[in-house]
Amino acid sequence: LLELKKQGFRLYFLSNFPSDIFDDVVERNSFFKLFDGGVISARVKASKPGKRIYNILIEKYSLIPRECLFIDDLEPNVVTAVEMGMTGIWLYDTMDLDNLIKEKLHSIH
């Protein structure tokens, strides 16, 4: 995340997470400071892999889907992101995420 931020990329999270403990998780994990924003399912009453939560993120931050790289550990969530026009990475097992991100970002630009 830090390297992407240094390169000037905007970072957002899209999470199926309970609202009542999210603020504590953010406080305990400094990497959240790297994000430019995000959407929590419990707070918008929509969840992945439903398209509505993706649309909320896109509209809230004026994102252009074809310029977005979406990474998730659940394949159905990545499938929906791709259906929405984003480039996707399904993160499973032990993968070389750095090289996958470089490869996918190259294909976007």
Side-chain angles (χ1 to χ4, degrees):
L1 290 176
L2 183 57
E3 186 59 37
L4 291 170
K5 194 70 176 168
K6 286 180 182 178
Q7 293 178 36
F9 289 99
R10 292 182 297 155
L11 305 173
Y12 301 94
F13 57 84
L14 185 63
S15 183
N16 288 348
F17 209 88
S19 183
D20 58 343
I21 61 171
F22 183 73
D23 292 332
D24 286 339
V25 171
V26 169
E27 282 183 36
R28 290 191 317 254
N29 294 282
S30 61
F31 68 85
F32 275 99
K33 293 176 183 163
L34 298 172
F35 288 99
D36 297 287
V39 174
I40 300 300
S41 59
R43 295 184 178 164
V44 297
K45 308 290 189 263
S47 61
K48 300 180 288 181
K51 290 184 178 182
R52 185 169 168 264
I53 193 167
Y54 295 80
N55 279 322
I56 291 168
L57 180 75
I58 290 165
E59 291 172 15
K60 181 174 183 177
Y61 298 104
S62 301
L63 303 177
I64 301 168
R66 71 177 183 279
E67 296 178 354
C68 296
L69 174 60
F70 182 86
I71 303 168
D72 202 287
D73 62 337
L74 296 176
E75 186 179 22
N77 298 343
V78 177
V79 168
T80 300
V82 171
E83 289 172 355
M84 301 293 294
M86 300 176 186
T87 298
I89 294 177
W90 174 30
L91 184 62
Y92 60 91
D93 205 15
T94 55
M95 300 174 64
D96 187 0
L97 185 57
D98 287 344
N99 282 328
L100 278 171
I101 289 173
K102 289 175 188 169
E103 176 187 313
K104 294 292 186 173
L105 289 175
H106 180 72
S107 70
I108 291 172
H109 290 85

